[in-house]
Amino acid sequence: MVKSAPWLSVTPEPERELPAAVATLVCGRRPTDEAIADEAARIERLVLRGSERRWDSYLHQVVELIDERAGDADPDVARAREVAIAVIANHHNLLLALPGRGARRTEIDRRRLARLLATRNEEQP
């Protein structure tokens, strides 16, 4: 019998968008293709062999990176932050509609990201 894992239904966008963004945040500049591939492989392992809790923990680590890179002058890092904020905020909001504890586990990060999105929207003309 296959175990139901509704959280996997919200991973495609993060799987597609986060490797380059996270690699950029980790490197503090435009990453190498190898760094992006390594991050993509890390995400793939989490999705294929991990659990929802481990996936949420990974996303929490990315939120920490987003905070660490606040105010970074490198334009690649700034873009990577914006991508990561939007993707993870969307992911966490989608968890609200799924059964399980994912929405509760990500509540603090969801609020942090909502504040970052609100601040960004206030700054844009």
Side-chain angles (χ1 to χ4, degrees), residues 19-37 76 80:
V22 173
T24 301
L25 293 172
V26 168
C27 294
R29 61 188 176 330
R30 185 179 302 226
T32 64
D33 290 342
E34 182 180 3
I36 295 170
D76 291 324

Side-chain angles (χ1 to χ4, degrees), residues 31-49:
T32 64
D33 290 342
E34 182 180 3
I36 295 170
D38 288 347
E39 194 62 34
R42 179 181 180 197
I43 289 171
E44 182 177 324
R45 280 190 306 275
L46 281 168
V47 170
L48 295 178
R49 291 189 280 289

